């Protein structure tokens, strides 16, 4: 400090030593926060800034103990200011190095596993180990895997934490395949009769299958039609579990056609016997009327090529497509319209019995007869006694069907016996001048 002399009347001089006891002042730069260098656990090239300094005299120098690289965390940087009189003052600036670099983690490959037998989950699944790294170091790696993995996809989150508390996650997929198909047991065979006048059955009660699964049943369906045709139909039941696995079984539905076909026979067929025969051929029977709920397979009869005279029963049988039958009877009437044939014996000539005017015991002979079916009887109307002259004997033949024919035979009785005569006694008389008396003449009698 300089002192100006003051004029006075007397003066002297002395030395005044002024000591600078005032330390300079310093205000550190603001605390600095920086991130670590990429891939490193420290920061370099940190810009600390400039402190604010002052001194009553003057500042000689300002320095700090900063580093070329700062580790993660807080580092105290001491700034020191020195004035011209070597007085110093310090302040501390904090350099905070932040580890802003997350660790890296690569999850293990996705895992696929099957469910435990009889269960809907998997246990003991081996996940593997993730790959992790960090610029500063790993503190730990954990995951949120359950002890049991349910069927389906489960995301396992792996979390790696570095020494500075930074975390990074990755997701690993664990697929548990429910590879156990459900079980199904079909209902017993269902039986039904066809609907009335139909060849199918509706409303058939199928029953319900028995199903089970380790994870649960999603649906049970069948491919049953609304109408079941006659015979056996296979109904396939399919059960699907919650994982889409399926199982099937087959149920048989048997529909019986219990309805017989219907048949109406043709009217009675009438024919005459063939000429000279006791039967008819080529008889036209006609056709029966048939129907069935399912359809006719065929219609037959037990008719023959020829039909004897009289009534013959022809049985018609219709069979439906399911083997059921129905029958009716048609009558075939063959009429014998041919009379028998008779040829009488020839005329018989006999003499009258001795002493009688009739003849008995006459042998008439035998007529010749024939018939297409056969002769039943042949008779005549003879009384056995025949008068003199011509007697007519009618022969009648009857065939087995009652038809008749007749012929007439002549029996001639001859009187070959002369009459007898016995004269009267002799008569003696006197004559009357003329011959008297009478003569009786006996002549032959003629018939």
């Amino acid at each position: 400090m300089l002192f100006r002399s003051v004029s006075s009347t007397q003066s002297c001089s002395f030395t005044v030593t002024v000591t600078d006891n005032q330390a300079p002042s310093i205000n550190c730069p603001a605390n600095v926060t920086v991130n670590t260098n990429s891939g490193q656990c420290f920061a370099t090239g940190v810009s600390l800034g400039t402190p604010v300094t002052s001194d009553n005299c003057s500042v000689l120098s300002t320095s700090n103990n900063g580093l070329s690289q700062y580790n993660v965390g807080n580092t105290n940087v001491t700034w020191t200011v020195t004035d011209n009189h070597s007085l110093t003052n310090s302040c501390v600036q904090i350099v905070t190095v932040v580890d802003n670099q997350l660790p890296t983690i690569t999850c293990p490959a996705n895992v696929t596993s099957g469910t435990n037998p009889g269960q809907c989950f998997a246990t003991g699944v081996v996940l593997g180990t993730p790959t992790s790294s960090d610029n500063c170091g790993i503190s730990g790696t954990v995951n949120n895997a359950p002890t049991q993995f349910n069927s389906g996809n489960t995301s396992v989150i792996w979390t790696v934490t570095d020494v500075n508390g930074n975390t990074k996650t990755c997701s690993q997929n664990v697929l548990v395949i429910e590879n156990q198909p459900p079980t199904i047991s079909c209902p017993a065979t269902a039986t039904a009769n066809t609907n009335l006048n139909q060849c199918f059955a509706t409303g058939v009660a199928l029953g319900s299958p028995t199903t089970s699964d380790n994870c649960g049943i999603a649906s049970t369906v069948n491919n049953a039609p609304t109408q079941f045709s006659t015979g056996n139909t296979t109904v396939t039941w399919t059960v699907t579990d919650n994982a889409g696995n399926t199982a099937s079984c087959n149920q048989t539905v048997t529909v019986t056609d219990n309805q017989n076909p219907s048949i109406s026979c043709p009217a009675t067929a009438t024919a005459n016997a063939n000429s000279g025969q006791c039967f008819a051929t080529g008889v036209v029977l006609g056709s029966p009327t048939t129907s069935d709920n399912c359809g006719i397979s065929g219609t037959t009869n037990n008719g023959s090529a020829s039909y004897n005279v009289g009534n013959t029963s022809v049985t018609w049988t219709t069979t439906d497509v399911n083997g059921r039958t129905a029958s009716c009877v048609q009558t075939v009437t063959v009429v014998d319209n041919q009379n028998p044939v008779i040829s009488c014996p020839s005329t018989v000539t006999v003499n009258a019995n001795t002493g009688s005017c009739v003849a008995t015991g006459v042998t008439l002979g035998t007529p010749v007869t024939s018939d297409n079916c056969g002769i039943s009887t042949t008779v005549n109307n003879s009384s056995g006694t025949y008068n003199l002259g011509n007697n007519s004997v009618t022969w009648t033949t009857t065939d087995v069907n009652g038809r008749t024919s007749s012929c007439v035979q002549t029996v001639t009785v001859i009187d070959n016996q002369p009459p007898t005569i016995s004269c009267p006694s002799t008569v003696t008389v006197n004559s009357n001048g003329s011959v008297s008396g009478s003569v009786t003449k006996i002549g032959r009698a003629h018939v």
Side-chain angles (χ1 to χ4, degrees):
M1 182 178 293
L2 299 177
F3 295 92
R4 182 180 293 177
S5 63
V6 181
S7 62
S8 66
T9 60
Q10 190 174 359
S11 63
C12 62
S13 65
F14 59 90
T15 300
V16 177
T17 301
V18 178
T19 301
D20 183 7
N21 63 347
Q22 299 177 50
S25 65
I26 186 171
N27 288 317
C28 278
N31 292 335
V32 176
T33 300
V34 294
N35 294 323
T36 53
N37 292 5
S38 177
Q40 303 297 329
C41 196
F42 55 80
T44 58
V46 176
S47 177
L48 298 178
T50 303
V52 177
T53 59
S54 66
D55 188 72
N56 57 327
C57 290
S58 64
V59 172
L60 179 64
S61 64
T62 303
S63 63
N64 63 59
N65 63 350
L67 305 173
S68 59
Q69 60 182 38
Y70 293 87
N71 292 328
V72 170
N74 292 327
T75 300
N76 291 331
V77 174
T78 301
W79 287 84
T80 302
V81 61
T82 304
D83 65 12
N84 289 331
H85 299 101
S86 299
L87 292 172
T88 63
N89 202 355
S90 298
C91 66
V92 174
Q93 177 187 20
I94 298 174
V95 177
T96 302
V97 177
V98 176
D99 179 10
N100 67 335
Q101 301 176 57
L102 301 180
T104 63
I105 185 170
T106 301
C107 276
N110 293 335
V111 175
T112 300
S113 174
T115 52
N116 291 7
Q119 303 296 332
C120 197
F121 57 79
T123 58
V125 177
V126 177
L127 299 177
T129 303
T131 301
S132 59
S133 65
D134 188 72
N135 58 323
C136 290
I138 300 298
S139 171
T141 304
V142 295
N143 64 54
N144 65 345
T147 56
Q148 295 179 350
F149 289 87
N150 292 329
S151 173
N153 289 314
T154 300
S155 291
V156 175
I157 305 301
W158 289 86
T159 302
V160 62
T161 304
D162 66 14
V163 293
N164 294 305
N166 293 307
T167 62
K168 187 68 179 292
T169 61
C170 66
S171 177
Q172 176 187 20
N173 188 68
V174 176
L175 173 61
V176 175
I177 298 175
E178 206 278 82
N179 57 354
Q180 302 173 55
T183 63
I184 185 169
S185 178
C186 272
T189 296
T191 59
N193 292 324
T194 51
N195 292 9
L196 182 63
N197 296 325
Q198 302 295 335
C199 197
F200 56 80
T202 57
V204 178
L206 298 179
S208 299
T210 301
T211 59
S212 65
D213 187 71
N214 57 321
C215 286
I217 300 298
S219 65
T220 303
V221 296
N222 63 57
N223 65 345
T226 55
Q227 296 179 349
F228 289 88
S229 299
T230 56
N232 292 329
T233 298
T234 298
V235 174
T236 299
W237 289 84
T238 301
V239 61
T240 303
D241 65 16
N242 289 326
N245 295 309
T246 62
S248 297
C249 65
N250 290 329
Q251 177 188 17
T252 299
V253 176
T254 301
V255 175
T256 301
D257 176 15
N258 65 337
Q259 303 172 56
N260 288 334
S262 66
I263 184 170
S264 177
C265 273
T268 297
T270 302
N272 292 324
N274 292 5
S275 179
Q277 303 296 333
C278 197
F279 56 81
T281 58
V283 177
V284 178
L285 298 179
S287 299
T289 301
T290 60
S291 66
D292 187 71
N293 59 319
C294 288
I296 299 298
S297 171
T299 302
T300 60
N301 64 58
N302 64 348
S304 58
S306 63
Y307 295 88
N308 292 330
V309 169
N311 291 328
T312 300
S313 292
V314 174
T315 300
W316 289 85
T317 301
T318 186
T319 304
D320 67 16
V321 293
N322 294 305
R324 300 189 71 87
T325 61
S327 298
C328 65
V329 176
Q330 176 187 19
T331 299
V332 176
T333 300
V334 176
V335 178
D336 177 13
N337 65 338
Q338 302 171 54
N339 291 332
V341 176
I342 185 168
S343 178
C344 279
S346 59
T347 297
V348 176
T349 301
V350 296
N351 293 321
N353 292 359
T354 300
S356 176
C357 199
V358 297
T360 60
V362 177
T363 301
L364 298 177
T366 303
V368 177
T369 60
S370 65
D371 188 72
N372 58 321
C373 289
I375 300 298
S376 173
T377 60
T378 302
V379 297
N380 60 58
N381 63 348
S382 172
S383 63
T385 300
Y386 299 90
N387 294 321
L388 290 175
N390 290 326
N391 297 269
S392 292
V393 176
T394 299
W395 289 87
T396 300
T397 186
T398 304
D399 67 15
V400 292
N401 294 306
R403 299 188 71 86
T404 62
S405 289
S406 298
C407 66
V408 176
Q409 178 186 17
T410 299
V411 177
T412 302
V413 178
I414 299 172
D415 179 10
N416 65 342
Q417 302 172 56
T420 62
I421 188 170
S422 178
C423 287
S425 300
T426 299
V427 176
T428 301
V429 293
N430 292 322
S431 61
N432 289 328
S434 62
V435 178
S436 63
S438 62
V439 176
T440 302
K441 182 179 181 181
I442 300 175
R444 171 171 281 200
H446 294 280
V447 176

